[in-house]
Amino acid sequence: MSISRHPSSPQPMLLAHRPAAAGLVAVAIALPALWAGEFHLRFLAEILIIGTAVMSLDLLVGFGGLVSLGHAAPFGLAAYAAAIASQSLGGNLLLVLPLGAATGMAVAAVMGAVILRTSHLFLLILTLLLGKIAWEIVFHWREVTGGADGLRGLPPLSLGPWELSDARSLYLLAAGLALAATTAARSFAAAPLGRALIGIREQPLRMTALGYSIPRIRFSAMLAAGAIAGAAGALYPFVNLYVGPQSVHWTLSATMIVMLVIGGVGSLWGAFLGSAAYLTVQTYVSSYTDRWQLFVGLVFVLTVLLLPAGIAGGLRSLVGGWAHGRNGNDRGA
């Protein structure tokens, strides 16, 4: 399976390094917190959480060329771990979040140990099977996971004496997690390990000849992606007030890939654009018709045909063209 990427190594948009962009991000986060209602705040929180999981998948797909149909496993199992632990120990954020990240990393380690030396079609099949095993465990271990009914009635999240159960607090938590995860993913990609991962994606034989261990580097990427997906999964049940087997199912992994392609493979922040586009169609179009997936398919096809680098790539080209035109006008003046 081949997914188109930006031809050069994935880079964030030029403006992402400027203070003005940081101010725009802060304003974009603050405005919904000030003006949006409860439903929209929870909806935005879900976009940010799913977008964080999709961004972690981008570390594997966009940077490593490892297309996985089992990425819902670290995300969903971390969600279950956080929900189960909260029922016994309470919803302390300092317990729930590290537990989710550790669970996601552990699941990714198991998956990584199985798929280290595979690629392409075999990688897809193995990750699909591993995701299916995770779903079978969740679906049939009813005493712990609730089976097909899932888990409800979770205690509210808390941080010391503060309860974080209202929509505004959950939205700000999701935004904070998204920013922290993006920073961590970008640092990983910029580090020598991340550059080596890109090199292995492009020239595996040459990287092996240079002495790099492909399994070790890919395993490290799996652990990083699993930890980020697990941290996102830890918040997911408290935003939706529910976690069920569909959060582990392979169809969620496929949905993440669709979101990633729409947003832009190889662009970390594009994962949030893809998540927003998909969930917006799912939420609003489904209220008018049961065939909302046709609209998702239309968005997907149009993105592939008109924006091969995704929405993020289109925006990058637009901003780059605007900046180039402005510089040209300045020189002409």
Side-chain angles (χ1 to χ4, degrees), residues 19 23 32 42 44 137 143 260:
R42 286 186 179 272
L44 289 172
I137 293 173
E143 297 80 6
L260 185 58

Side-chain angles (χ1 to χ4, degrees), residues 92-152:
N92 189 334
L93 182 65
L94 298 181
L95 166 69
V96 166
L97 203 57
L99 176 62
T103 302
M105 186 180 291
V107 174
V110 173
M111 296 181 69
V114 175
I115 66 173
L116 274 183
R117 299 184 183 279
T118 61
S119 61
H120 305 302
L121 181 60
F122 293 104
L123 175 67
L124 278 177
I125 293 174
L126 280 176
T127 53
L128 175 61
L129 291 176
L130 291 170
K132 181 65 174 176
I133 291 172
W135 181 85
E136 290 286 346
I137 293 173
V138 166
F139 189 80
H140 292 288
W141 199 5
R142 186 177 181 84
E143 297 80 6
V144 176
T145 64
D149 297 328
L151 297 175
R152 302 177 186 271

Side-chain angles (χ1 to χ4, degrees), residues 70-279:
H71 201 63
F75 174 80
L77 291 178
Y80 269 102
I84 293 169
S86 69
Q87 290 179 329
S88 303
L89 305 174
N92 189 334
L93 182 65
L94 298 181
L95 166 69
V96 166
L97 203 57
L99 176 62
T103 302
M105 186 180 291
V107 174
V110 173
M111 296 181 69
V114 175
I115 66 173
L116 274 183
R117 299 184 183 279
T118 61
S119 61
H120 305 302
L121 181 60
F122 293 104
L123 175 67
L124 278 177
I125 293 174
L126 280 176
T127 53
L128 175 61
L129 291 176
L130 291 170
K132 181 65 174 176
I133 291 172
W135 181 85
E136 290 286 346
I137 293 173
V138 166
F139 189 80
H140 292 288
W141 199 5
R142 186 177 181 84
E143 297 80 6
V144 176
T145 64
D149 297 328
L151 297 175
R152 302 177 186 271
L154 305 178
L157 280 176
S158 62
L159 183 60
W162 298 284
E163 188 174 293
L164 306 174
S165 59
D166 63 289
R168 183 168 288 102
S169 297
L170 292 171
Y171 164 72
L172 291 175
L173 275 177
L177 175 65
L179 289 174
T182 302
T183 301
R186 184 171 292 137
S187 298
F188 178 88
L193 192 62
R195 310 310 296 177
L197 182 65
I198 297 172
I200 290 171
R201 182 197 73 195
E202 299 295 334
Q203 296 289 342
L205 293 179
R206 182 174 297 179
M207 294 297 288
T208 300
L210 290 173
Y212 288 92
S213 171
I214 292 180
R216 182 183 65 82
I217 293 172
R218 286 179 171 174
F219 188 74
S220 299
M222 289 283 294
L223 292 181
I228 293 174
L235 292 186
Y236 184 72
F238 301 96
V239 172
N240 286 274
L241 304 178
Y242 167 78
V243 58
Q246 71 277 4
S247 65
V248 188
H249 202 266
W250 72 268
T251 54
L252 178 59
S253 300
T255 298
M256 289 182 181
I257 293 176
V258 171
M259 292 178 179
L260 185 58
V261 173
I262 292 174
V265 178
S267 173
L268 296 176
W269 60 277
F272 298 98
L273 298 178
S275 172
Y278 186 99
L279 292 176

Side-chain angles (χ1 to χ4, degrees), residues 39-98:
F39 168 79
H40 291 98
L41 285 172
R42 286 186 179 272
F43 178 59
L44 289 172
E46 183 177 5
I47 288 175
L48 290 169
I49 289 173
I50 298 296
T52 300
V54 175
M55 184 196 63
S56 68
L57 177 62
D58 196 23
L59 285 178
L60 302 179
V61 178
F63 290 76
L66 305 172
V67 183
S68 171
L69 279 175
H71 201 63
F75 174 80
L77 291 178
Y80 269 102
I84 293 169
S86 69
Q87 290 179 329
S88 303
L89 305 174
N92 189 334
L93 182 65
L94 298 181
L95 166 69
V96 166
L97 203 57

